[in-house]
Coordinates of all heavy atoms in Angstrom, one line a residue:
M1 N 0.8 -1.2 0.0 CA 0.0 0.0 0.0 C 0.9 1.2 0.0 O 1.9 1.3 0.7 CB -0.9 0.0 1.2 CG -1.8 1.2 1.4 SD -2.8 1.1 2.8 CE -4.3 0.4 2.1
R2 N 0.5 2.2 -0.8 CA 1.3 3.4 -0.9 C 1.1 4.2 0.4 O 0.1 4.2 1.1 CB 0.8 4.3 -2.1 CG 1.1 3.6 -3.4 CD 0.7 4.5 -4.6 NE -0.2 5.5 -4.2 CZ -1.2 5.9 -5.0 NH1 -1.5 5.2 -6.1 NH2 -2.0 6.9 -4.6
A3 N 2.1 5.0 0.7 CA 2.1 5.8 1.9 C 0.9 6.8 1.9 O 0.3 7.0 2.9 CB 3.4 6.6 2.1
H4 N 0.6 7.4 0.8 CA -0.5 8.3 0.7 C -1.8 7.7 1.0 O -2.7 8.3 1.6 CB -0.5 9.0 -0.7 CG -1.5 10.1 -0.8 ND1 -1.3 11.3 -0.1 CD2 -2.7 10.2 -1.4 CE1 -2.3 12.1 -0.4 NE2 -3.2 11.5 -1.2
D5 N -2.0 6.4 0.6 CA -3.2 5.7 0.9 C -3.4 5.5 2.4 O -4.5 5.6 2.9 CB -3.2 4.3 0.2 CG -3.3 4.5 -1.3 OD1 -3.8 5.5 -1.8 OD2 -3.0 3.5 -2.0
K6 N -2.3 5.2 3.1 CA -2.4 5.1 4.5 C -2.8 6.4 5.2 O -3.6 6.3 6.2 CB -1.0 4.6 5.1 CG -0.6 3.2 4.7 CD 0.7 2.8 5.3 CE 1.1 1.4 4.9 NZ 2.4 1.0 5.4
V7 N -2.3 7.5 4.7 CA -2.7 8.8 5.2 C -4.2 9.0 5.0 O -4.9 9.4 5.9 CB -1.9 9.9 4.6 CG1 -2.4 11.3 4.9 CG2 -0.4 9.8 5.0
A8 N -4.7 8.7 3.8 CA -6.1 8.9 3.5 C -7.0 8.0 4.3 O -8.0 8.4 4.9 CB -6.3 8.6 2.0
V9 N -6.6 6.7 4.5 CA -7.3 5.8 5.3 C -7.4 6.2 6.7 O -8.5 6.2 7.3 CB -6.7 4.3 5.2 CG1 -7.3 3.4 6.2 CG2 -7.0 3.8 3.8
S10 N -6.3 6.7 7.3 CA -6.3 7.2 8.6 C -7.2 8.4 8.8 O -8.0 8.4 9.8 CB -4.9 7.5 9.0 OG -4.8 8.1 10.3
A11 N -7.1 9.3 7.9 CA -8.0 10.5 8.0 C -9.4 10.2 7.8 O -10.3 10.7 8.6 CB -7.5 11.5 6.9
L12 N -9.7 9.3 6.9 CA -11.2 9.0 6.7 C -11.7 8.2 7.8 O -12.9 8.4 8.2 CB -11.3 8.3 5.3 CG -11.0 9.2 4.1 CD1 -11.0 8.4 2.8 CD2 -11.9 10.4 4.0
R13 N -11.0 7.3 8.3 CA -11.5 6.4 9.5 C -11.9 7.3 10.6 O -12.9 7.2 11.2 CB -10.5 5.4 9.9 CG -10.5 4.2 9.1 CD -9.6 3.1 9.7 NE -9.7 1.9 8.9 CZ -8.6 1.1 8.7 NH1 -7.5 1.3 9.4 NH2 -8.7 0.0 8.0
S14 N -11.0 8.2 11.0 CA -11.3 9.0 12.2 C -12.4 10.0 11.9 O -13.2 10.3 12.8 CB -10.0 9.7 12.7 OG -9.5 10.6 11.7
T15 N -12.5 10.5 10.7 CA -13.6 11.4 10.3 C -14.9 10.7 10.3 O -15.9 11.2 10.7 CB -13.3 12.1 9.0 OG1 -12.0 12.8 9.1 CG2 -14.3 13.1 8.6
L16 N -14.9 9.4 9.8 CA -16.2 8.7 9.9 C -16.6 8.5 11.3 O -17.8 8.5 11.7 CB -16.0 7.3 9.2 CG -16.0 7.4 7.7 CD1 -15.6 6.0 7.1 CD2 -17.3 7.9 7.1
A17 N -15.7 8.2 12.2 CA -16.0 8.1 13.7 C -16.5 9.4 14.2 O -17.5 9.4 15.0 CB -14.8 7.7 14.4
A18 N -16.0 10.5 13.8 CA -16.5 11.8 14.2 C -17.9 12.1 13.7 O -18.7 12.6 14.4 CB -15.5 12.9 13.8
L19 N -18.2 11.7 12.5 CA -19.5 11.8 11.9 C -20.5 10.9 12.7 O -21.6 11.3 13.0 CB -19.5 11.5 10.5 CG -18.8 12.5 9.6 CD1 -18.6 11.9 8.2 CD2 -19.7 13.8 9.5
D20 N -20.0 9.7 13.0 CA -20.9 8.8 13.8 C -21.2 9.4 15.2 O -22.3 9.4 15.6 CB -20.2 7.5 14.0 CG -21.1 6.4 14.5 OD1 -22.2 6.3 14.0 OD2 -20.6 5.6 15.3
N21 N -20.2 10.0 15.8 CA -20.4 10.7 17.1 C -21.4 11.9 17.0 O -22.2 12.1 17.9 CB -19.1 11.1 17.7 CG -18.3 10.0 18.2 OD1 -18.8 8.9 18.5 ND2 -17.0 10.2 18.4
A22 N -21.3 12.6 15.8 CA -22.1 13.7 15.6 C -23.6 13.3 15.5 O -24.5 14.1 15.8 CB -21.7 14.5 14.4
E23 N -23.8 12.1 15.0 CA -25.2 11.6 14.8 C -25.8 11.1 16.1 O -27.0 10.9 16.2 CB -25.2 10.5 13.8 CG -24.9 10.9 12.4 CD -24.8 9.7 11.4 OE1 -24.5 8.6 11.9 OE2 -25.0 9.9 10.2
A24 N -25.0 10.9 17.1 CA -25.5 10.4 18.4 C -26.4 11.4 19.1 O -26.1 12.6 19.1 CB -24.3 10.0 19.3
V25 N -27.4 10.9 19.7 CA -28.3 11.8 20.5 C -28.1 11.4 21.9 O -28.3 10.3 22.3 CB -29.8 11.5 20.0 CG1 -30.7 12.3 20.9 CG2 -30.0 11.8 18.6
P26 N -27.8 12.4 22.7 CA -27.6 12.2 24.2 C -28.9 11.7 24.8 O -30.0 12.3 24.6 CB -27.1 13.5 24.7 CG -27.3 14.5 23.7 CD -27.6 13.8 22.4
V27 N -28.8 10.7 25.6 CA -30.0 10.2 26.3 C -30.1 11.0 27.6 O -29.1 11.1 28.3 CB -29.8 8.7 26.6 CG1 -31.0 8.2 27.4 CG2 -29.6 7.9 25.4
A28 N -31.3 11.5 27.8 CA -31.5 12.3 29.0 C -31.3 11.4 30.3 O -31.9 10.3 30.3 CB -32.9 13.0 29.0
E29 N -30.6 11.9 31.2 CA -30.4 11.2 32.5 C -31.7 10.9 33.2 O -31.8 9.9 33.9 CB -29.4 11.9 33.4 CG -28.0 11.9 32.8 CD -27.1 12.6 33.8 OE1 -27.5 13.1 34.9 OE2 -25.9 12.7 33.5
T30 N -32.6 11.8 33.1 CA -33.9 11.7 33.8 C -34.7 10.4 33.3 O -35.5 9.9 34.0 CB -34.8 12.9 33.6 OG1 -35.0 13.1 32.2 CG2 -34.1 14.1 34.3
E31 N -34.4 10.0 32.1 CA -35.1 8.8 31.5 C -34.7 7.6 32.2 O -35.4 6.6 32.3 CB -34.9 8.7 30.0 CG -35.6 9.8 29.2 CD -35.3 9.7 27.8 OE1 -34.9 8.5 27.3 OE2 -35.4 10.6 27.0
L32 N -33.4 7.6 32.7 CA -32.9 6.4 33.3 C -33.0 6.3 34.8 O -32.9 5.2 35.4 CB -31.4 6.2 32.8 CG -31.1 6.2 31.3 CD1 -29.6 6.2 31.1 CD2 -31.8 5.0 30.7
R33 N -33.1 7.4 35.4 CA -33.2 7.4 36.9 C -34.5 6.9 37.4 O -35.6 7.2 36.8 CB -32.9 8.9 37.4 CG -31.5 9.3 37.2 CD -31.3 10.6 37.9 NE -29.9 10.9 37.6 CZ -29.4 12.1 37.9 NH1 -30.1 13.0 38.5 NH2 -28.1 12.4 37.7
G34 N -34.5 6.2 38.5 CA -35.7 5.8 39.2 C -36.4 4.7 38.5 O -37.5 4.4 38.8
L35 N -35.8 4.1 37.5 CA -36.5 3.1 36.7 C -36.3 1.7 37.5 O -35.2 1.3 37.8 CB -35.9 3.0 35.3 CG -36.6 2.2 34.3 CD1 -38.0 2.8 34.0 CD2 -35.8 2.1 33.0
A36 N -37.4 1.1 37.8 CA -37.3 -0.2 38.5 C -36.8 -1.2 37.6 O -37.0 -1.2 36.4 CB -38.7 -0.6 39.0
L37 N -36.1 -2.2 38.1 CA -35.5 -3.2 37.3 C -36.6 -4.0 36.5 O -36.3 -4.2 35.3 CB -34.8 -4.2 38.2 CG -34.0 -5.4 37.5 CD1 -33.0 -4.8 36.6 CD2 -33.4 -6.3 38.5
E38 N -37.7 -4.2 37.0 CA -38.7 -5.0 36.3 C -39.4 -4.1 35.2 O -40.0 -4.6 34.3 CB -39.8 -5.5 37.2 CG -40.6 -4.5 38.0 CD -39.9 -4.1 39.3 OE1 -38.8 -4.6 39.6 OE2 -40.6 -3.3 40.0
A39 N -39.2 -2.8 35.3 CA -39.7 -1.9 34.2 C -38.7 -1.5 33.2 O -39.0 -0.8 32.3 CB -40.3 -0.6 34.9
S40 N -37.5 -2.0 33.3 CA -36.4 -1.6 32.4 C -36.6 -2.3 31.1 O -37.2 -3.4 31.0 CB -35.0 -2.0 33.0 OG -34.9 -3.4 33.2
P41 N -36.2 -1.7 30.0 CA -36.4 -2.2 28.6 C -35.6 -3.5 28.5 O -34.5 -3.6 28.9 CB -36.0 -1.1 27.7 CG -35.1 -0.2 28.5 CD -35.5 -0.4 29.9
V42 N -36.2 -4.5 27.8 CA -35.5 -5.7 27.5 C -35.6 -6.1 26.0 O -36.5 -5.6 25.4 CB -36.0 -6.9 28.4 CG1 -35.7 -6.6 29.8 CG2 -37.5 -7.1 28.2
G43 N -34.8 -6.9 25.5 CA -34.9 -7.4 24.2 C -33.9 -6.7 23.2 O -33.3 -5.8 23.6
A44 N -33.8 -7.3 22.0 CA -32.9 -6.8 21.0 C -33.3 -5.3 20.7 O -34.4 -5.1 20.4 CB -32.9 -7.7 19.8
G45 N -32.3 -4.5 20.7 CA -32.5 -3.1 20.3 C -33.2 -2.2 21.4 O -33.6 -1.1 21.1
A46 N -33.5 -2.8 22.6 CA -34.2 -2.0 23.6 C -33.4 -0.8 24.1 O -34.0 0.2 24.5 CB -34.5 -2.9 24.8
T47 N -32.1 -0.9 24.0 CA -31.3 0.3 24.4 C -30.8 1.2 23.3 O -30.1 2.1 23.5 CB -30.0 -0.2 25.2 OG1 -29.3 -1.1 24.3 CG2 -30.4 -1.0 26.4
E48 N -31.3 0.9 22.1 CA -30.9 1.7 21.0 C -31.7 3.1 21.0 O -32.9 3.1 21.3 CB -31.3 1.0 19.6 CG -30.4 -0.2 19.4 CD -29.0 0.1 19.2 OE1 -28.7 1.1 18.5 OE2 -28.1 -0.6 19.7
A49 N -31.0 4.1 20.8 CA -31.6 5.5 20.7 C -31.6 5.9 19.2 O -30.8 5.5 18.4 CB -30.8 6.4 21.5
A50 N -32.6 6.7 18.9 CA -32.7 7.2 17.6 C -31.5 8.1 17.3 O -31.0 8.7 18.2 CB -34.0 8.0 17.4
R51 N -31.0 8.0 16.1 CA -29.8 8.8 15.7 C -30.3 10.1 15.0 O -31.3 10.1 14.3 CB -28.9 8.0 14.9 CG -28.5 6.8 15.7 CD -27.2 6.1 15.3 NE -26.0 6.8 15.1 CZ -25.1 7.1 16.0 NH1 -25.3 6.8 17.3 NH2 -24.0 7.7 15.7
R52 N -29.5 11.1 15.1 CA -29.7 12.4 14.5 C -29.3 12.2 13.0 O -28.3 11.6 12.7 CB -28.9 13.5 15.2 CG -29.4 14.8 14.9 CD -28.7 15.8 16.0 NE -27.3 15.8 15.8 CZ -26.6 16.8 15.2 NH1 -27.3 17.8 14.8 NH2 -25.3 16.8 15.1
E53 N -30.1 12.8 12.1 CA -29.7 12.8 10.7 C -29.0 14.1 10.4 O -29.5 15.2 10.6 CB -30.9 12.6 9.8 CG -30.6 12.3 8.4 CD -31.8 11.9 7.6 OE1 -32.6 11.2 8.1 OE2 -31.8 12.3 6.4
L54 N -27.7 14.0 9.9 CA -26.9 15.1 9.6 C -27.3 15.7 8.2 O -27.4 14.9 7.3 CB -25.5 14.8 9.7 CG -24.9 14.3 11.0 CD1 -23.4 14.0 10.9 CD2 -25.1 15.4 12.1
S55 N -27.4 17.0 8.1 CA -27.5 17.6 6.8 C -26.2 17.6 6.1 O -25.1 17.4 6.7 CB -28.1 19.0 6.9 OG -27.1 19.8 7.5
E56 N -26.2 17.9 4.8 CA -24.9 18.0 4.1 C -24.0 19.1 4.7 O -22.8 18.9 4.8 CB -25.2 18.3 2.6 CG -23.9 18.3 1.8 CD -24.2 18.6 0.3 OE1 -25.3 18.3 -0.1 OE2 -23.3 19.0 -0.4
R57 N -24.6 20.2 5.2 CA -23.9 21.2 5.8 C -23.3 20.8 7.1 O -22.1 21.1 7.4 CB -24.9 22.4 6.1 CG -24.2 23.6 6.7 CD -25.2 24.7 6.9 NE -24.4 26.0 7.0 CZ -25.0 27.1 7.0 NH1 -26.3 27.2 6.9 NH2 -24.3 28.2 7.1
D58 N -24.0 20.0 7.9 CA -23.5 19.4 9.1 C -22.2 18.5 8.9 O -21.2 18.6 9.6 CB -24.5 18.6 9.9 CG -25.7 19.4 10.4 OD1 -25.5 20.6 10.6 OD2 -26.8 18.8 10.5
V59 N -22.3 17.7 7.8 CA -21.2 16.8 7.5 C -20.0 17.6 7.1 O -18.9 17.4 7.5 CB -21.7 15.9 6.3 CG1 -20.5 15.1 5.8 CG2 -22.7 14.9 6.8
V60 N -20.2 18.7 6.3 CA -19.1 19.5 5.8 C -18.5 20.2 7.0 O -17.2 20.3 7.1 CB -19.6 20.5 4.8 CG1 -18.5 21.6 4.5 CG2 -20.0 19.9 3.5
E61 N -19.3 20.6 8.0 CA -18.7 21.3 9.2 C -17.9 20.3 10.0 O -16.8 20.7 10.5 CB -19.9 21.8 10.0 CG -20.5 23.1 9.5 CD -21.7 23.6 10.3 OE1 -21.9 23.1 11.4 OE2 -22.4 24.5 9.8
V62 N -18.3 19.1 10.1 CA -17.6 18.1 10.9 C -16.3 17.8 10.2 O -15.2 17.7 10.8 CB -18.4 16.8 11.1 CG1 -17.5 15.7 11.6 CG2 -19.6 17.0 12.0
V63 N -16.3 17.6 8.9 CA -15.1 17.3 8.1 C -14.1 18.5 8.2 O -12.9 18.3 8.4 CB -15.4 16.9 6.6 CG1 -14.1 16.8 5.8 CG2 -16.3 15.7 6.6
R64 N -14.6 19.7 8.0 CA -13.7 20.9 8.2 C -13.1 21.0 9.6 O -12.0 21.3 9.7 CB -14.5 22.1 7.8 CG -14.7 22.3 6.3 CD -15.1 23.8 6.0 NE -15.5 23.9 4.6 CZ -14.7 24.0 3.6 NH1 -13.4 24.0 3.8 NH2 -15.1 24.1 2.4
A65 N -13.9 20.7 10.6 CA -13.4 20.7 12.0 C -12.3 19.7 12.2 O -11.3 20.0 12.8 CB -14.5 20.5 12.9
E66 N -12.5 18.5 11.6 CA -11.5 17.5 11.7 C -10.2 17.9 11.0 O -9.1 17.7 11.5 CB -11.9 16.2 11.0 CG -13.0 15.4 11.9 CD -12.4 14.8 13.1 OE1 -11.4 14.1 13.0 OE2 -12.9 15.1 14.2
A67 N -10.3 18.6 9.8 CA -9.1 19.1 9.1 C -8.4 20.2 9.9 O -7.2 20.2 10.1 CB -9.5 19.6 7.7
A68 N -9.2 21.1 10.5 CA -8.7 22.2 11.2 C -8.0 21.7 12.5 O -6.9 22.2 12.9 CB -9.8 23.1 11.6
E69 N -8.5 20.6 13.1 CA -7.9 20.0 14.3 C -6.5 19.5 13.9 O -5.5 19.7 14.7 CB -8.8 18.9 14.8 CG -8.6 18.5 16.2 CD -9.7 17.5 16.6 OE1 -10.9 17.9 16.7 OE2 -9.3 16.3 16.7
R70 N -6.4 18.9 12.8 CA -5.1 18.3 12.4 C -4.1 19.4 12.1 O -2.9 19.3 12.4 CB -5.3 17.4 11.1 CG -5.9 16.1 11.5 CD -6.3 15.3 10.2 NE -6.8 14.0 10.6 CZ -7.9 13.7 11.2 NH1 -8.7 14.6 11.5 NH2 -8.2 12.4 11.4
L71 N -4.6 20.5 11.4 CA -3.7 21.6 11.1 C -3.2 22.3 12.3 O -2.0 22.7 12.4 CB -4.4 22.6 10.1 CG -4.6 22.0 8.7 CD1 -5.5 23.0 7.9 CD2 -3.3 21.7 8.0
E72 N -4.1 22.4 13.3 CA -3.7 23.1 14.5 C -2.7 22.2 15.3 O -1.7 22.7 15.8 CB -4.9 23.3 15.4 CG -4.7 24.0 16.7 CD -5.9 24.2 17.5 OE1 -7.0 24.5 16.9 OE2 -5.8 24.1 18.7
A73 N -2.9 20.9 15.3 CA -1.9 20.0 16.0 C -0.6 20.0 15.3 O 0.5 20.0 15.9 CB -2.5 18.6 16.0
A74 N -0.6 20.1 13.9 CA 0.6 20.1 13.2 C 1.4 21.4 13.5 O 2.7 21.4 13.6 CB 0.4 20.0 11.7
E75 N 0.7 22.5 13.7 CA 1.4 23.8 14.0 C 2.1 23.7 15.3 O 3.1 24.4 15.5 CB 0.4 24.9 14.0 CG 0.0 25.4 12.6 CD -1.0 26.5 12.7 OE1 -1.1 27.3 13.7 OE2 -1.8 26.7 11.7
Q76 N 1.5 23.0 16.3 CA 2.1 22.9 17.6 C 3.3 22.0 17.7 O 4.1 22.0 18.6 CB 1.0 22.4 18.6 CG -0.1 23.4 18.8 CD -1.2 22.9 19.7 OE1 -1.1 21.9 20.2 NE2 -2.2 23.7 19.8
L77 N 3.5 21.1 16.6 CA 4.6 20.2 16.6 C 5.8 20.9 15.9 O 6.1 20.7 14.7 CB 4.3 18.9 15.9 CG 3.2 18.1 16.5 CD1 2.8 16.9 15.6 CD2 3.6 17.6 17.9
T78 N 6.5 21.7 16.7 CA 7.6 22.5 16.1 C 9.0 21.9 16.2 O 9.9 22.3 15.5 CB 7.6 23.9 16.7 OG1 7.8 23.7 18.1 CG2 6.3 24.7 16.5
A79 N 9.1 20.9 17.1 CA 10.4 20.3 17.2 C 10.8 19.5 16.0 O 9.9 18.8 15.4 CB 10.4 19.4 18.5
P80 N 12.1 19.5 15.6 CA 12.5 18.7 14.5 C 12.2 17.2 14.6 O 11.9 16.6 13.6 CB 14.0 19.0 14.4 CG 14.2 20.2 15.1 CD 13.1 20.3 16.2
A81 N 12.1 16.7 15.8 CA 11.8 15.3 16.0 C 10.4 15.0 15.6 O 10.1 13.8 15.4 CB 12.1 14.9 17.4
H82 N 9.5 16.0 15.5 CA 8.1 15.8 15.2 C 7.8 16.1 13.8 O 6.6 16.2 13.5 CB 7.2 16.6 16.2 CG 7.4 16.2 17.6 ND1 7.0 14.9 18.1 CD2 7.9 16.8 18.7 CE1 7.3 14.9 19.4 NE2 7.9 16.0 19.8
A83 N 8.7 16.4 13.0 CA 8.5 16.9 11.6 C 7.7 15.8 10.8 O 6.8 16.2 10.1 CB 9.8 17.2 10.9
D84 N 8.0 14.5 11.0 CA 7.2 13.5 10.3 C 5.7 13.5 10.7 O 4.9 13.4 9.8 CB 7.8 12.1 10.5 CG 9.2 12.0 9.8 OD1 9.5 12.8 8.9 OD2 9.9 11.0 10.2
R85 N 5.5 13.6 12.0 CA 4.1 13.6 12.5 C 3.4 14.8 12.0 O 2.2 14.7 11.6 CB 4.1 13.5 14.0 CG 2.8 13.6 14.6 CD 2.0 12.3 14.4 NE 0.7 12.4 15.0 CZ -0.4 12.0 14.5 NH1 -0.4 11.4 13.3 NH2 -1.6 12.1 15.1
A86 N 4.0 16.0 12.0 CA 3.4 17.2 11.6 C 3.1 17.1 10.1 O 2.0 17.5 9.6 CB 4.3 18.4 11.8
G87 N 4.0 16.5 9.3 CA 3.7 16.3 7.9 C 2.6 15.4 7.6 O 1.7 15.6 6.7
R88 N 2.5 14.4 8.4 CA 1.3 13.4 8.2 C 0.0 14.1 8.6 O -1.0 13.9 7.9 CB 1.6 12.2 9.1 CG 0.5 11.1 9.0 CD 0.8 9.9 9.8 NE -0.3 9.0 9.8 CZ -0.3 7.9 9.0 NH1 0.8 7.6 8.2 NH2 -1.3 7.1 9.0
L89 N 0.0 14.9 9.6 CA -1.2 15.6 10.0 C -1.7 16.6 8.9 O -2.8 16.7 8.6 CB -1.0 16.3 11.3 CG -1.0 15.5 12.6 CD1 -0.5 16.3 13.8 CD2 -2.3 14.8 12.8
R90 N -0.7 17.3 8.3 CA -1.0 18.2 7.2 C -1.5 17.4 6.0 O -2.5 17.9 5.3 CB 0.2 19.0 6.8 CG 0.6 20.1 7.8 CD 1.7 21.0 7.3 NE 2.1 21.8 8.4 CZ 3.1 21.6 9.2 NH1 3.9 20.5 9.1 NH2 3.5 22.4 10.2
A91 N -0.9 16.3 5.7 CA -1.4 15.4 4.6 C -2.8 14.9 4.8 O -3.7 14.9 3.9 CB -0.4 14.3 4.4
E92 N -3.1 14.5 6.1 CA -4.5 14.1 6.4 C -5.5 15.2 6.2 O -6.6 15.0 5.7 CB -4.5 13.5 7.8 CG -3.9 12.2 8.0 CD -4.0 11.6 9.4 OE1 -4.7 12.2 10.2 OE2 -3.3 10.6 9.7
A93 N -5.1 16.4 6.7 CA -6.0 17.6 6.5 C -6.2 17.9 5.1 O -7.4 18.2 4.7 CB -5.4 18.8 7.2
A94 N -5.2 17.7 4.2 CA -5.3 18.0 2.8 C -6.3 17.0 2.2 O -7.1 17.4 1.3 CB -4.0 17.9 2.1
V95 N -6.3 15.7 2.6 CA -7.2 14.7 2.1 C -8.6 15.1 2.4 O -9.5 15.1 1.6 CB -6.8 13.3 2.7 CG1 -8.0 12.3 2.4 CG2 -5.5 12.8 2.1
L96 N -8.8 15.5 3.7 CA -10.2 15.8 4.1 C -10.7 17.1 3.4 O -11.9 17.1 2.9 CB -10.2 16.1 5.6 CG -9.9 14.8 6.4 CD1 -9.9 15.2 7.9 CD2 -10.9 13.7 6.2
L97 N -9.9 18.1 3.2 CA -10.3 19.3 2.5 C -10.6 19.1 1.1 O -11.4 19.7 0.5 CB -9.2 20.4 2.7 CG -9.1 20.9 4.2 CD1 -8.0 21.9 4.3 CD2 -10.4 21.5 4.6
R98 N -9.9 18.1 0.4 CA -10.1 17.8 -1.0 C -11.5 17.2 -1.1 O -12.2 17.5 -2.1 CB -9.1 16.8 -1.5 CG -7.8 17.5 -2.0 CD -7.0 16.6 -2.9 NE -6.7 15.3 -2.3 CZ -5.5 15.1 -1.6 NH1 -4.6 16.1 -1.5 NH2 -5.3 14.0 -1.1
F99 N -12.0 16.4 -0.1 CA -13.3 15.9 -0.2 C -14.4 17.0 0.0 O -15.4 17.0 -0.7 CB -13.5 14.8 0.9 CG -13.1 13.5 0.4 CD1 -11.8 13.0 0.8 CD2 -13.9 12.7 -0.3 CE1 -11.4 11.8 0.4 CE2 -13.4 11.4 -0.8 CZ -12.2 11.0 -0.4
V100 N -14.1 17.9 0.9 CA -15.1 19.0 1.1 C -15.1 20.0 0.0 O -16.2 20.5 -0.4 CB -14.7 19.7 2.4 CG1 -15.6 20.9 2.6 CG2 -14.9 18.8 3.6
D101 N -14.0 20.2 -0.6 CA -13.9 21.2 -1.7 C -14.3 20.6 -3.1 O -14.2 21.3 -4.1 CB -12.5 21.8 -1.8 CG -12.2 22.6 -0.5 OD1 -13.1 23.1 0.2 OD2 -11.0 22.7 -0.2
G102 N -14.6 19.3 -3.1 CA -15.0 18.7 -4.3 C -13.9 18.3 -5.3 O -14.1 18.1 -6.5
T103 N -12.7 18.3 -4.8 CA -11.5 18.0 -5.7 C -11.0 16.6 -5.3 O -9.8 16.3 -5.6 CB -10.4 19.0 -5.6 OG1 -10.0 19.1 -4.3 CG2 -10.9 20.4 -6.1
A104 N -11.8 15.8 -4.6 CA -11.3 14.5 -4.2 C -11.2 13.6 -5.4 O -12.0 13.6 -6.3 CB -12.3 13.9 -3.2
R105 N -10.1 12.8 -5.4 CA -10.0 11.8 -6.4 C -10.3 10.4 -5.8 O -10.5 10.3 -4.6 CB -8.6 11.8 -7.1 CG -7.5 11.9 -6.0 CD -6.2 12.0 -6.6 NE -5.3 11.8 -5.5 CZ -4.2 11.2 -5.5 NH1 -3.7 10.8 -6.6 NH2 -3.4 11.0 -4.5
D106 N -10.4 9.4 -6.6 CA -10.8 8.1 -6.1 C -9.6 7.6 -5.3 O -8.5 7.6 -5.7 CB -11.1 7.1 -7.3 CG -12.3 7.5 -8.0 OD1 -13.2 8.1 -7.4 OD2 -12.4 7.2 -9.2
Y107 N -10.0 7.1 -4.1 CA -9.0 6.5 -3.2 C -9.2 5.0 -3.1 O -10.2 4.5 -3.0 CB -9.0 7.1 -1.8 CG -8.4 8.5 -1.8 CD1 -9.1 9.6 -1.9 CD2 -7.0 8.5 -1.7 CE1 -8.4 10.9 -1.9 CE2 -6.3 9.8 -1.6 CZ -7.1 10.9 -1.7 OH -6.4 12.1 -1.7

């Protein structure tokens, strides 16, 4: 596998996880408190919560935030010993920004 592919895979995996987290709906603590054991939900899917549906704008915001996070981290890695890590973070941000800006090529 080419080095650039590893960078793209890493960036896309973590961004997919961020999108998955953005779709999560927090369960209100009040729903769970004071529930008697015999009244608790049982069965397959009983603990599943509805997920939020992200708009295209929401997705773009999450992807841009992930890219910005990488660029900010790369800026903080100023020591020569961290040059490789900073370069990888910049490359991951470039991959993400290409997808958002519509210039992504097939990976």
Side-chain angles (χ1 to χ4, degrees):
M1 178 179 266
R2 295 184 342 223
H4 188 70
D5 291 340
K6 289 180 183 178
V7 169
V9 168
S10 175
L12 294 174
R13 275 190 183 148
S14 63
T15 301
L16 286 173
L19 288 167
D20 193 42
N21 288 340
E23 291 175 337
V25 176
V27 178
E29 290 182 1
T30 57
E31 292 177 21
L32 301 176
R33 289 190 182 170
L35 194 62
L37 183 60
E38 61 273 6
S40 63
V42 294
T47 59
E48 292 294 319
R51 301 204 45 94
R52 201 166 62 103
E53 192 169 320
L54 299 177
S55 68
E56 185 175 339
R57 183 180 202 170
D58 294 334
V59 170
V60 168
E61 286 176 9
V62 170
V63 174
R64 284 194 188 281
E66 286 290 305
E69 203 173 284
R70 284 168 173 74
L71 291 173
E72 184 179 321
E75 284 180 26
Q76 293 177 3
L77 297 173
T78 58
H82 299 293
D84 289 343
R85 177 70 180 138
R88 183 179 175 98
L89 288 168
R90 286 187 190 94
E92 287 182 11
V95 167
L96 296 176
L97 292 174
R98 278 197 302 267
F99 275 98
V100 173
D101 296 336
T103 58
R105 46 185 190 144
D106 294 330
Y107 281 97

